[in-house]
């Protein structure tokens, strides 16, 4: 039977507050002691003594079997297959790194561990043979412990030693303010409890005595939510406050330093030093001027003038120094900022001096990682900071700011708390089934559907958000002289491209950027495609085709006055072959057709193909091209819905999502082009400027997993599976939601997220 163990996934039970408390598992005894016959004298004994064990459920879905495992003695019981009490593998020994962790455990947890041990000793039957069970919980942690009760940020939890061992990764080895758990059910993901977050963004700083500061000359120095909310010359007394008062997860980490203003040649460069030793390291480099020359005790949120020196007291720069003591800083650690002269040399020399004085160069995103670990930001907010710094348009910055102010976190926290409520109800049914009314299944389904709808709504922001972040590469192709370069100039409102009436004017790929509904668009003007004996033009044509192949969206321009020609068909065939999806199609992106020179089009009076009832001088016009094509209306007035489509070959109709009529020389039809582009890119709402926060790819992926878990839950309910299966799916949904805000996140996810940051952020 021992072979079956490998298939069984131990799943610690989560309560509404995160983790099930030991007490609620064994209400009869109030003890985790394993009073049953752990030798396996009979599976029945194990079941009847269920309340005296701390039973946890372990599901083997492959055989649809419900198993129980005791978190104390590790006995397994399978009702269908009989007892399997010996079938347990000793958990791995806890690493030495557990000891500092234990030292930080609250007295409450230690007290509990002792009382547990006492109860365990009292209740242990003589027949018990597992030597590991003779050990106290603390010593279990040093050897091979069955379980450990720990007070994680106020919630009493049962932690499997394997999980506990994983908790003790150096980065997360401290308890407060973010307690970190590892959930075996999720394959070892780290659980960061945000409810132990005393310094959440939005709520501002932790109220301190400094909050009454008069704020003379106040002005935010750190626009990213740093706690530097006032540059205050008054004696605040905060320097007297020790950071040991504040529960910092990163308290024992190195003190880090970096130039946070990048490598630009501005007039000021800022070096940030963060960590427990920040003030003492800074004071080895900083020499205060004026009346502080003879004695200096740095006060929080105050600016000091002075000089920076190296180890030999050689002058490096004149600087301003700002001290922001914990927790009122960006990282919630003690932070000191040196404002040096810009230009690279000064800041580099001061930074080198700080490193010689004991600081370590910060890794990319390390300041923000510390802010996250210390509960200053949730993970979505941390990502929003990276997006804000990298925003290429105002709309992208607005969206990132909305995320920074808690947009994503609030939405996901709401969904998560609804899942937790459901889980609490289901868990209660598992424990106190006889005392509670039966589950209202239709109501349960409605609530699950409601959560799914919420997830879908959140996911709908992903496409637009991704566009705002990454932008679009748009290639303009077509035959010579149709007005490609003119269109680029009109659209970007510039004279970027040379325009002449000579066919073949543009020889190389030309790039220009613009913002379309906040989406950063890189426009590529290309050489007109035609057969040519000119070697330079031939290379240009090859480059045009290469640009079309690589672009997200290809805009093919035709002469709107003459309409589609055989040369256009040749170009179309060269790029799209037998149409999108065919083996001869080279273009990977989406396609849009622009009929330029609309001002030269002679309005048709008959109702034949190509006729138009719209005034050629109207603002802009657009036509649908065939049943399968999206119908793009001109954005301006004067658009006739009855306007006939531009006559196109069938294949072209199916390829181009829309046709937009423009006049580059009269700058008309550009709004319709904007709208068509955004619609094609999947974010039509951006055309009206309506965009607040959005989820990024990582968050969207976690939301999709959560949605899938809820779908499995609905299936389990429909199939009338045991309640345990329901809770497993619900927990999977919860875990995935927790990954979005960082409440439950694996270390590798954090590494990936923060490695995308630039150095100094
Ligand atoms: N009336 C009118 N003329 C236009 C319009 N757009 C471009 N033209 C003219 O058409 C001629 C060619 O314009 P370009 O923008 O150089 O055309 P192109 O497609 O870039 O040509 P190549 O670089 O040779 O491939 C110029 O004389 C423009 O002034 C338009 O919308 N209306
Ligand atoms: Mg050109």
């Amino acid at each position: 039977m021992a072979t079956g163990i490998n298939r069984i996934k131990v799943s610690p039970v989560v309560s509404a507050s995160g983790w099930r408390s030991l007490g609620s598992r064994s209400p009869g005894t109030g003890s985790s002691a394993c009073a049953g016959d752990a030798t396996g004298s009979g599976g029945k004994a194990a079941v009847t003594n269920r309340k005296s064990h701390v039973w946890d459920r372990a599901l083997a879905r492959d055989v649809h079997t419900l198993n129980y495992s005791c978190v104390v003695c590790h006995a397994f019981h399978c009702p269908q297959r009989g007892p399997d009490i010996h079938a347990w593998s000793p958990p791995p020994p806890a690493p030495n790194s557990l000891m500092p962790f234990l030292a930080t455990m609250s007295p409450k947890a230690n007290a509990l561990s002792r009382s547990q041990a006492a109860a365990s000793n009292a209740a242990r039957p003589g027949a018990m043979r597992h030597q590991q069970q003779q050990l106290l919980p603390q010593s279990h942690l040093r050897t091979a412990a069955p379980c450990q009760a720990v007070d994680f940020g106020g919630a009493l939890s049962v932690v499997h030693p394997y999980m506990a061992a994983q908790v003790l990764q150096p980065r997360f080895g401290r308890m407060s303010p973010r307690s970190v758990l590892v959930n075996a059910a999720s394959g070892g993901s780290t659980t960061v409890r945000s409810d132990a977050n005393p310094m959440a963004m939005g709520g501002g700083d932790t109220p301190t005595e400094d909050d009454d500061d008069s704020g003379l000359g106040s002005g935010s120095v750190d626009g990213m939510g740093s706690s530097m909310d006032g540059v205050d010359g008054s004696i605040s007394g905060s320097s007297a406050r020790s950071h040991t008062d504040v529960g910092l997860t990163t308290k024992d980490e190195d003190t880090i330093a970096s130039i946070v203003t990048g490598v630009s040649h501005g007039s000021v460069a800022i070096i940030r030093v963060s960590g427990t030793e920040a003030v003492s390291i800074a004071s080895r480099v900083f020499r205060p001027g004026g009346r502080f020359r003879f004695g200096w005790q740095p006060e929080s949120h105050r600016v000091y003038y002075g000089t920076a020196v190296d180890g030999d007291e050689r002058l490096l720069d004149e600087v301003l120094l700002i001290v922001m003591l914990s927790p009122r800083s960006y990282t919630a650690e003690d932070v000191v900022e040196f404002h040096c002269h810009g230009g690279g040399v000064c800041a580099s020399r001061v930074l080198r001096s700080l490193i010689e004085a004991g600081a370590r160069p910060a890794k990319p995103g390390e300041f923000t990682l510390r802010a996250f670990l210390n509960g200053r930001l949730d993970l979505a907010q941390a990502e929003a900071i990276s997006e804000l710094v990298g925003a290429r348009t105002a709309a992208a910055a607005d969206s990132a700011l909305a995320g920074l102010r808690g947009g994503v976190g609030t939405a996901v926290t709401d969904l998560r708390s609804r899942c937790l409520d459901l889980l609490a109800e289901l868990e209660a049914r598992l424990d106190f089934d006889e005392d509670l009314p039966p589950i209202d299944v239709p109501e349960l389904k409605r609530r699950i559907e409601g959560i799914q709808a919420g997830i879908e709504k959140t996911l709908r922001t992903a496409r637009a958000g991704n566009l705002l972040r990454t932008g679009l590469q748009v290639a303009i192709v077509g035959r010579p002289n149709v007005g490609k370069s003119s269109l680029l100039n009109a659209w970007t409102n510039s004279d970027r491209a040379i325009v002449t009436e000579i066919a073949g004017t543009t020889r190389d790929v030309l790039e220009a950027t613009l913002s379309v509904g906040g989406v950063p668009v890189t426009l590529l003007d290309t050489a007109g495609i035609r057969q040519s004996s000119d070697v330079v033009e031939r290379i240009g044509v090859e480059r045009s085709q290469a640009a079309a192949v690589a672009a997200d969206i290809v805009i093919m321009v035709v002469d709107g006055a003459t309409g589609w020609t055989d040369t256009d068909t040749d170009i179309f065939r060269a790029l799209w072959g037998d149409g999108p999806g065919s083996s001869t199609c080279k273009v990977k992106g989406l396609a849009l057709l622009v009929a330029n020179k609309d001002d030269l089009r002679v309005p048709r009076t008959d109702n034949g193909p190509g006729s138009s009832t719209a005034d050629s001088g109207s603002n802009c016009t657009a036509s649908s091209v065939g049943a399968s094509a999206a119908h793009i209306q001109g954005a301006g007035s004067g658009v006739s819905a009855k306007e006939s489509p531009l006559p196109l070959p069938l294949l072209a109709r199916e390829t181009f999502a829309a046709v937009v009529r423009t006049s580059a020389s009269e700058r008309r039809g550009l709004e319709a082009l904007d709208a068509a582009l955004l619609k094609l890119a999947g974010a039509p709402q951006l055309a009206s400027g309506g965009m607040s926060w959005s989820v990024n790819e990582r968050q969207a992926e976690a939301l999709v997993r959560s949605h899938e878990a809820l779908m499995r839950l609905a299936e389990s309910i429909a199939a009338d599976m045991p309640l345990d299966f329901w809770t497993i799916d619900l927990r999977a949904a919860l875990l995935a939601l927790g990954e979005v805000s960082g409440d439950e996140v694996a270390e590798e996810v954090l590494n990936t997220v923060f490695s995308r940051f630039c150095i100094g952020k």
Side-chain angles (χ1 to χ4, degrees):
M1 201 65 170
T3 52
I5 286 296
N6 293 335
R7 291 206 306 273
I8 295 171
K9 198 171 183 181
V10 176
S11 45
V13 181
V14 183
S15 71
S17 60
W19 288 69
R20 175 182 294 283
S21 79
L22 199 62
S24 72
R25 254 293 172 215
S26 47
T29 61
S31 159
S32 68
C34 182
D37 181 357
T39 62
S41 57
K44 238 185 165 125
V47 173
T48 49
N49 281 328
R50 186 177 160 193
K51 284 197 172 177
S52 56
H53 286 253
V54 182
W55 286 107
D56 210 336
R57 282 175 299 283
L59 288 181
R61 288 198 83 140
D62 52 339
V63 288
H64 282 232
T65 310
L66 180 63
N67 299 288
Y68 290 96
S69 70
C70 176
V71 297
V72 175
C73 72
H74 279 246
F76 272 82
H77 177 77
C78 165
Q80 280 92 334
R81 291 180 294 182
D84 190 17
I85 294 186
H86 289 297
W88 64 281
S89 332
N96 287 338
S97 54
L98 200 64
M99 303 328 293
F101 171 79
L102 276 175
T104 62
M105 272 171 47
S106 74
K108 187 177 161 193
N110 284 319
L112 178 100
S113 301
R114 278 191 292 276
S115 66
Q116 254 186 281
S120 175
N121 284 332
R124 193 168 50 237
M128 240 181 213
R129 290 208 292 253
H130 298 321
Q131 207 181 347
Q132 282 79 359
Q133 287 176 303
Q134 313 288 333
L135 301 168
L136 299 183
Q138 283 94 334
S139 48
H140 289 165
L141 290 166
R142 279 180 227 112
T143 56
C147 77
Q148 174 66 37
V150 180
D151 180 356
F152 282 100
L156 193 61
S157 309
V158 179
V159 179
H160 188 283
Y162 176 69
M163 297 180 249
Q166 293 199 36
V167 166
L168 301 168
Q169 298 159 18
R171 176 166 287 165
F172 304 114
R174 285 92 206 170
M175 291 293 294
S176 177
R178 280 187 187 273
S179 302
V180 182
L181 298 178
V182 172
N183 186 338
S186 66
S189 77
T190 305
T191 300
V192 184
R193 292 177 49 127
S194 59
D195 54 356
N197 173 358
M199 291 168 283
M201 283 281 289
D205 299 327
T206 305
T208 67
E209 66 273 27
D210 298 346
D211 289 342
D212 292 327
D213 290 351
S214 57
L216 295 173
S218 70
S220 176
V221 172
D222 189 335
M224 305 305 179
S226 150
S227 291
M228 184 162 180
D229 49 6
V231 179
D232 190 345
S234 64
I235 305 275
S236 66
S238 58
S239 61
R241 186 186 57 239
S242 155
H243 44 68
T244 50
D245 298 343
V246 182
L248 286 180
T249 298
T250 58
K251 184 159 59 75
D252 298 332
E253 299 286 344
D254 299 337
T255 294
I256 52 173
S258 176
I259 300 171
V260 293
T261 40
V263 287
S264 66
H265 291 275
S267 60
V268 175
I270 300 175
I271 300 168
R272 180 177 287 163
V273 189
S274 179
T276 313
E277 298 296 315
V279 174
S280 65
I281 289 172
S283 59
R284 279 172 223 149
V285 173
F286 180 66
R287 298 288 170 267
R291 67 187 170 92
F292 295 108
R293 245 179 312 164
F294 308 107
W296 181 58
Q297 174 75 36
E299 291 164 13
S300 192
H301 294 78
R302 182 164 178 174
V303 183
Y304 295 93
Y305 164 79
T307 53
V309 296
D310 66 10
D312 299 327
E313 291 294 319
R314 267 200 305 267
L315 178 67
L316 300 176
D317 195 11
E318 279 190 356
V319 297
L320 289 178
L321 180 123
I322 302 170
V323 179
M324 289 165 272
L325 293 177
S326 173
R328 298 178 64 211
S329 69
Y330 179 69
T331 57
E333 300 173 325
D334 283 351
V335 166
V336 179
E337 284 184 358
F338 284 77
H339 291 225
C340 312
H341 287 100
V345 175
C346 294
S348 304
R349 290 203 303 182
V350 175
L351 178 62
R352 201 175 314 130
S353 180
L354 284 164
I355 288 164
E356 282 165 10
R360 166 171 70 72
K363 294 179 201 149
E366 201 170 1
F367 291 109
T368 308
L369 174 64
R370 290 187 176 197
F372 165 73
L373 290 175
N374 289 325
R376 188 76 173 77
L377 310 161
D378 67 28
L379 192 56
Q381 287 172 320
E383 287 177 301
I385 287 181
S386 171
E387 284 158 19
L388 187 59
V389 173
R392 286 157 64 191
T393 64
D398 285 347
S399 172
L401 266 176
L404 181 58
R405 299 190 73 80
V408 180
T410 308
V412 172
T413 303
D414 172 58
L415 294 168
R416 208 162 168 263
S417 72
R418 284 155 71 184
C419 279
L420 275 171
D421 287 347
L422 277 185
L423 188 62
E425 285 179 34
L426 296 185
E427 292 284 352
R429 292 302 190 300
L430 281 171
D431 284 339
F432 312 107
D433 202 12
E434 58 279 9
D435 307 328
L436 293 169
I439 295 173
D440 181 351
V441 174
E443 170 60 15
L444 184 68
K445 281 185 183 164
R446 259 194 304 280
R447 286 167 67 184
I448 293 166
E449 281 162 13
I451 298 169
Q452 284 181 305
I455 293 174
E456 286 161 20
K457 191 175 164 202
T458 311
L459 275 172
R460 275 197 285 275
T461 64
R463 178 72 190 141
N466 198 35
L467 276 179
L468 288 177
R469 273 181 285 273
T470 57
L472 286 172
Q473 183 112 337
V474 177
I476 306 174
V477 297
R479 63 188 167 90
N481 245 2
V482 289
K484 300 182 295 298
S485 302
S486 304
L487 184 67
L488 176 130
N489 285 349
W491 211 359
T492 56
N493 202 12
S494 70
D495 280 331
R496 179 82 178 84
I498 298 171
V499 170
T500 72
E501 66 285 347
I502 303 164
T505 302
T506 306
R507 294 298 182 99
D508 208 344
V509 177
L510 205 86
E511 213 174 284
T513 54
L514 80 156
S515 166
V516 177
V519 176
V521 172
T522 305
L523 275 185
L524 302 174
D525 179 27
T526 63
I529 298 173
R530 65 173 175 182
Q531 298 288 348
S532 173
S533 53
D534 182 331
V535 69
V536 177
E537 191 173 356
R538 270 212 314 273
I539 294 171
V541 169
E542 279 168 20
R543 290 189 178 189
S544 300
Q545 294 182 337
V549 168
D552 299 312
I553 292 181
V554 179
I555 294 181
M556 181 165 166
V557 182
V558 296
D559 187 328
T562 54
W564 187 272
T565 63
D566 289 346
T567 318
D568 294 321
T569 302
D570 292 343
I571 293 169
F572 179 88
R573 288 273 178 200
L575 292 174
W576 282 276
D578 295 326
S582 68
S583 58
T584 47
C585 178
K586 293 180 191 154
V587 174
K588 307 281 181 308
L590 302 161
L592 202 63
L593 190 70
V594 165
N596 191 37
K597 303 195 183 182
D598 196 48
D599 53 303
L600 298 182
R601 187 163 56 103
V602 181
R604 297 273 300 268
T605 47
D606 61 270
N607 288 329
S611 68
S612 168
T613 53
D615 183 354
S616 65
S618 64
N619 196 10
C620 58
T621 58
S623 304
S624 129
V625 284
S628 65
H631 190 108
I632 301 294
Q633 294 286 340
S637 59
V639 176
S640 167
K642 293 180 193 155
E643 187 169 5
S644 301
L646 184 83
L648 294 173
L650 184 64
L651 208 52
R653 280 194 206 184
E654 284 165 2
T655 302
F656 297 113
V659 177
V660 180
R661 292 190 185 276
T662 61
S663 169
S665 57
E666 295 182 6
R667 298 181 42 78
R668 285 194 291 104
L670 300 175
E671 294 88 350
L673 196 52
D674 283 354
L677 195 76
L678 293 175
K679 186 170 179 185
L680 194 57
Q685 73 271 33
L686 290 176
S688 53
M691 182 70 204
S692 70
W693 54 267
S694 60
V695 291
N696 61 27
E697 263 176 57
R698 182 195 71 80
Q699 295 159 348
E701 188 268 330
L703 285 169
V704 167
R705 266 190 287 122
S706 176
H707 194 275
E708 285 170 356
L710 290 173
M711 278 168 63
R712 286 199 302 276
L713 169 60
E715 283 166 19
S716 296
I717 295 171
D720 211 13
M721 303 271 270
L723 211 54
D724 292 81
F725 284 93
W726 303 11
T727 59
I728 280 195
D729 293 327
L730 201 45
R731 263 183 257 143
L734 260 171
L735 276 171
L737 286 174
E739 279 182 33
V740 177
S741 57
D743 288 322
E744 313 207 29
V745 68
E747 189 181 3
E748 56 268 26
V749 174
L750 289 184
N751 287 340
T752 311
V753 167
F754 286 99
S755 66
R756 290 196 206 111
F757 280 61
C758 49
I759 289 187
K761 198 63 226 162

